[in-house]
Amino acid sequence: MALDSKIPQGPLADKWTNYKNEINLVNPANKRLIDVIVVGTGLAGGSAAATLAELGYNVKAFCFQDSPRRAHSIAAQGGINAAKNYQGDGDSTYRLFYDTVKGGDYRSREANVYRLAEVSTNIIDQCVAQGVPFARDYGGLLDNRSFGGVLVSRTFYAKGQTGQQLLLGAYSAMNRQIGRGKIKMYNRHEMLDVVKVDGKARGIITRNLVTGEIERHSAHAVVLGTGGYGNVFYLSTNAMGSNVTAAWKAHKRGAYFANPCYTQIHPTCIPVSGDHQSKLTLMSESLRNDGRIWVPKKKEDAIAIREGKKKPTELAEDERDYYLERRYPAFGNLVPRDVASRAAKERCDAGFGVNKTGEAVYLDFASAIERYGKEQAYVQHKDANDKAVVTALGTEVVRNKYGNLFQMYEKIVDQNPYKTPMMIYPAVHYTMGGLWVDYNLQTSVEGLYAIGEANFSDHGANRLGASALMQGLADGYFVLPYTIGDYLSNDIRTGPISTDSPEFEEAEQNVRKQVDALVNNNGTKSVDYFHKKLGKIMWNKCGMSRNATDLQSAIDEIASLRDDFYKEVRVPGGQNEFNEELAKALRVADFLELGELFAKDALTRNESAGGHFREESVELDGPQKGEALRDDENFTFVSAWEYKGAPKDAVLHKEELKFENIELKQRSYK
């Protein structure tokens, strides 16, 4: 099937407006006759479910958690971007669009990104109206801070809990519709297949995670807002339950999977401390606003610190290497995430890491505490030369801005970050790949939509900070409700979709067969045993640094590991009961297929783009020597993979990316 992105004609700034003017609408009276399934209730799914119900559709919402409030969106800390230009620092819709396309290394669609920037301003108004407690300045106006990769302050935030507060806003909007009977909520349900009737998505098969019951649910359209698949690496900043199952099942039913190898490595996470961990903890990128990143200049100092013979506070300024400020003077510590991550890895690989494993750098707030402290001393008419006074005042300012993050760090690492620099290291955080969608957010299966992190569309090869929340809410509140209406306008006479058709029967039997096989396998190894092994292959061979030899090896190893999984996995307990190990096994089975496609996609993309450093593609000379080398001549396309059985047989389709409004340039943050 040829890929048709369905981008509207006309000038970039008018595309979305013209599109909305020309689409078909559904009469309010007819919306009551139409059912929509929304799977996933985080920021994207929750906002979509609430808005569709508000419009009058009958919505069935599904999540595997015990409540939508448990969605992983709650973990987002730093903020949400919007081109409001409250700071008067020159921001605009075009500048947000430009920063996002450039930050994504020119691997995203112009039209989608411009629309995202355009509706970003509406999101803030919507959320303020819902009561989201964004930070405010002294005069009562909404405050902003800056994030990596940009030179303006456009990030709205609620201390270090922005995702949580935004999710509560979406959740309260959902609850209103649940109370009205317009949303029927299915908690603790996992989607295990998509049902297609006459080529259209007409329902899903779910497993009730409490009773084990396999259920059929029908609708006129299905929306997936099921998040990303970073847990394919086992260790990531994602919640343990985050998985790829819904998207992967859709892929197996005909939805193309786009750019699976695009994973964001976040630079400011608490480093790995051993094999006992099940997840990693993110420290918000907002910390790079005030924190300075460094390692010792001399290897002997790094070794002494690793061995506990020296403390970081004992090193004078001239003994520290503020490597981001040195290499990228224009952006300093606020370079984009991919640049900051690669730079940290480079320093640690060179032997300057500061924790026991040598895989950590420092994030230091001493300068910020002193700077803020002096300012407050002047404001409060105190002695700006009294170090104790300045430190106390500065600490209070930093505590007000980042206090909950510092508290979290201290509880995990058992060190006081106000007095000792934090240790951080890059970790898997977000996935820019996902189901391929057109401008309408529809996948290559008619009637099947993907929104938020579950689709591929807006971030290119790298996501700038504070743009994930923006995309999730833009899709759910302001884009999907229009685009899905155009599709559903053809369904006003269809009537209820029956779940007694052969298509539902076949899909249900497939699910039962897989569940039966896993429960009765009687192997000798746990599900986690395989997941950890998969994670190590992914991190070592498909992580921040990749080469063709390792990627080919990863493909072979994952295929072999998958065979072992089906022979040796042991799932205790039964299928008709609460069985978390069975739920995990079903998810890991999908990760074992996705992982192979991931490596295959990475192997075909012989360029460095975003955080994906191909060792064969590096700048050899000039001012960018040693930096990642993009190849616009050969790789300006979206990889969209069609399922053909085993991942090794997947067929690659290419959507050529056209840049008519932005000139492709080498990314430089120097």
Side-chain angles (χ1 to χ4, degrees):
M1 186 182 84
L3 291 172
D4 180 3
S5 60
K6 297 180 182 165
I7 296 172
Q9 298 297 315
L12 184 67
D14 298 335
K15 284 182 190 293
W16 181 232
T17 301
N18 292 341
Y19 173 91
K20 289 187 289 182
N21 289 340
E22 293 167 7
I23 56 172
N24 295 313
L25 301 177
V26 182
N27 182 315
N30 287 330
K31 285 175 183 159
R32 294 194 286 270
L33 307 175
I34 293 176
D35 304 324
V36 181
I37 283 174
V38 178
V39 185
T41 52
L43 283 181
S47 57
T51 309
L52 292 172
E54 182 74 42
L55 287 171
Y57 297 107
N58 307 310
V59 176
K60 301 176 185 175
F62 295 79
C63 69
F64 65 76
Q65 299 95 343
D66 54 357
S67 161
R69 288 179 62 180
R70 299 269 189 182
H72 180 59
S73 304
I74 203 168
Q77 298 166 336
I80 176 169
N81 285 336
K84 286 282 199 183
N85 194 30
Y86 282 173
Q87 306 295 322
D89 52 4
D91 202 8
S92 64
T93 297
Y94 181 84
R95 194 174 288 278
L96 175 52
F97 155 72
Y98 176 85
D99 287 343
T100 306
V101 173
K102 177 190 172 191
D105 235 342
Y106 305 96
R107 294 293 176 264
S108 47
R109 236 188 240 148
E110 275 193 345
N112 285 57
V113 178
Y114 194 89
R115 177 177 64 187
L116 175 68
E118 194 175 344
V119 304
S120 68
T121 56
N122 300 350
I123 295 171
I124 303 303
D125 298 340
Q126 166 96 357
C127 294
V128 168
Q130 287 175 340
V132 172
F134 286 121
R136 292 177 182 269
D137 64 17
Y138 182 76
L141 300 174
L142 295 183
D143 199 7
N144 290 131
R145 57 188 176 197
S146 55
F147 261 50
V150 301
L151 295 172
V152 295
S153 291
R154 63 163 71 104
T155 305
F156 295 78
Y157 64 101
K159 217 170 187 181
Q161 310 167 348
T162 314
Q164 179 177 347
Q165 298 301 333
L166 293 173
L167 186 64
L168 288 173
Y171 178 60
S172 62
M174 276 187 78
N175 264 344
R176 177 168 177 272
Q177 300 303 329
I178 292 171
R180 291 179 64 221
K182 293 304 293 180
I183 292 180
K184 188 166 185 188
M185 190 67 226
Y186 294 85
N187 299 328
R188 284 290 189 190
H189 279 65
E190 183 131 57
M191 187 200 110
L192 294 178
D193 209 348
V194 174
V195 182
K196 282 166 63 178
V197 179
D198 298 330
K200 296 180 178 179
R202 290 301 199 188
I204 60 174
I205 305 295
T206 63
R207 179 170 177 271
N208 183 323
L209 294 175
V210 177
T211 65
E213 187 180 355
I214 309 293
E215 300 172 1
R216 305 176 185 185
H217 297 277
S218 67
H220 296 87
V222 176
V223 180
L224 302 185
T226 49
Y229 49 85
N231 275 344
V232 68
F233 286 84
Y234 187 69
L235 284 182
S236 82
T237 64
N238 289 185
M240 283 291 289
S242 299
N243 64 83
V244 76
T245 288
W248 193 253
K249 300 302 189 194
H251 174 56
K252 290 174 119 172
R253 288 287 179 186
Y256 291 179
F257 210 106
N259 298 333
C261 79
Y262 281 169
T263 312
Q264 179 167 80
I265 311 290
H266 197 292
T268 56
C269 301
I270 297 178
V272 175
S273 62
D275 286 335
H276 60 283
Q277 283 174 283
S278 57
K279 79 178 296 296
L280 297 174
T281 305
L282 168 72
M283 301 304 295
S284 168
E285 188 187 358
S286 62
L287 296 173
R288 287 199 283 146
N289 259 311
D290 287 313
R292 300 177 70 194
I293 295 173
W294 62 275
V295 291
K297 268 186 185 169
K298 298 177 194 163
K299 270 192 189 176
E300 51 264 39
D301 285 337
I303 293 168
I305 288 173
R306 286 204 291 269
E307 292 175 349
K309 296 174 183 171
K310 217 169 204 178
K311 294 180 180 174
T313 47
E314 293 173 13
L315 264 59
E317 279 292 299
D318 60 356
E319 294 175 307
R320 303 175 176 191
D321 177 13
Y322 294 95
Y323 57 88
L324 289 178
E325 298 171 36
R326 170 172 57 81
R327 289 177 60 174
Y328 310 102
F331 282 72
N333 295 295
L334 285 177
V335 290
R337 294 176 173 182
D338 60 323
V339 177
S341 297
R342 276 201 308 275
K345 184 175 188 296
E346 187 276 328
R347 284 292 78 194
C348 291
D349 288 350
F352 294 91
V354 294
N355 69 346
K356 285 184 181 172
T357 63
E359 291 182 316
V361 299
Y362 284 128
L363 178 62
D364 194 342
F365 284 80
S367 298
I369 288 173
E370 184 180 353
R371 187 176 71 250
Y372 286 128
K374 284 194 172 177
E375 183 181 305
Q376 283 302 307
Y378 285 119
V379 170
Q380 298 180 27
H381 304 293
K382 294 183 177 174
D383 185 359
N385 294 315
D386 186 328
K387 193 171 179 184
V389 169
V390 167
T391 302
L393 292 171
T395 299
E396 192 54 31
V397 174
V398 170
R399 181 175 287 115
N400 287 337
K401 293 180 85 168
Y402 312 110
N404 60 320
L405 301 171
F406 277 47
Q407 186 184 37
M408 185 174 73
Y409 178 87
E410 187 168 3
K411 282 184 180 295
I412 294 172
V413 182
D414 196 25
Q415 287 183 359
N416 183 344
Y418 294 103
K419 294 181 178 174
T420 303
M422 287 183 189
M423 286 183 291
I424 55 167
Y425 194 67
V428 172
H429 180 54
Y430 190 91
T431 48
M432 283 77 67
L435 293 175
W436 182 89
V437 292
D438 59 20
Y439 191 73
N440 301 322
L441 304 182
Q442 185 170 250
T443 69
S444 45
V445 173
E446 205 175 346
L448 179 63
Y449 291 76
I451 57 176
E453 194 178 353
N455 75 29
F456 87 100
S457 70
D458 290 3
H459 304 303
N462 176 49
R463 181 174 71 78
L464 289 179
S467 60
L469 305 186
M470 176 173 63
Q471 191 212 345
L473 292 180
D475 286 357
Y477 282 135
F478 298 109
V479 179
L480 180 82
Y482 285 97
T483 62
I484 202 170
D486 188 40
Y487 170 77
L488 292 172
S489 63
N490 294 317
D491 265 330
I492 56 174
R493 294 187 183 82
T494 303
I497 309 290
S498 169
T499 57
D500 295 329
S501 62
E503 291 86 354
F504 273 92
E505 178 64 23
E506 182 249 334
E508 181 184 327
Q509 290 311 318
N510 280 347
V511 169
R512 289 188 182 281
K513 197 172 160 188
Q514 189 186 17
V515 170
D516 286 344
L518 285 170
V519 168
N520 297 314
N521 199 50
N522 295 322
T524 58
K525 295 185 172 69
S526 70
V527 176
D528 275 353
Y529 168 85
F530 293 97
H531 198 177
K532 282 183 182 178
K533 279 205 152 201
L534 173 65
K536 287 196 172 169
I537 297 170
M538 298 299 296
W539 179 250
N540 292 332
K541 299 186 172 176
C542 313
M544 292 173 67
S545 186
R546 307 164 174 181
N547 61 61
T549 307
D550 280 352
L551 288 168
Q552 185 56 60
S553 159
I555 292 171
D556 300 337
E557 286 179 40
I558 294 169
S560 170
L561 184 66
R562 191 168 61 243
D563 289 342
D564 286 347
F565 172 81
Y566 284 111
K567 287 177 191 162
E568 293 295 333
V569 72
R570 176 177 177 77
V571 178
Q575 54 187 289
N576 298 316
E577 61 189 29
F578 179 80
N579 187 339
E580 192 60 19
E581 199 69 3
L582 172 59
K584 204 192 298 178
L586 290 162
R587 296 166 189 165
V588 171
D590 293 327
F591 277 136
L592 283 164
E593 294 186 6
L594 165 76
E596 186 178 334
L597 184 66
F598 186 120
K600 181 174 177 170
D601 183 48
L603 183 61
T604 61
R605 192 167 282 274
N606 187 19
E607 66 162 348
S608 295
H612 318 99
F613 188 72
R614 272 300 285 264
E615 293 164 16
E616 301 92 332
S617 187
V618 57
E619 297 280 357
L620 297 176
D621 49 33
Q624 296 290 320
K625 186 177 179 182
E627 299 288 333
L629 175 63
R630 208 177 61 234
D631 181 354
D632 292 334
E633 189 175 336
N634 297 304
F635 292 98
T636 317
F637 62 80
V638 175
S639 304
W641 295 92
E642 182 181 4
Y643 183 77
K644 289 288 185 183
K648 68 180 172 53
D649 300 324
V651 173
L652 175 62
H653 300 266
K654 296 179 182 177
E655 180 198 336
E656 296 299 329
L657 292 168
K658 295 174 185 169
F659 293 92
E660 297 166 342
N661 299 275
I662 281 187
E663 181 188 356
L664 273 65
K665 293 179 181 173
Q666 189 175 48
R667 286 169 73 208
S668 173
Y669 296 93
K670 299 194 174 191

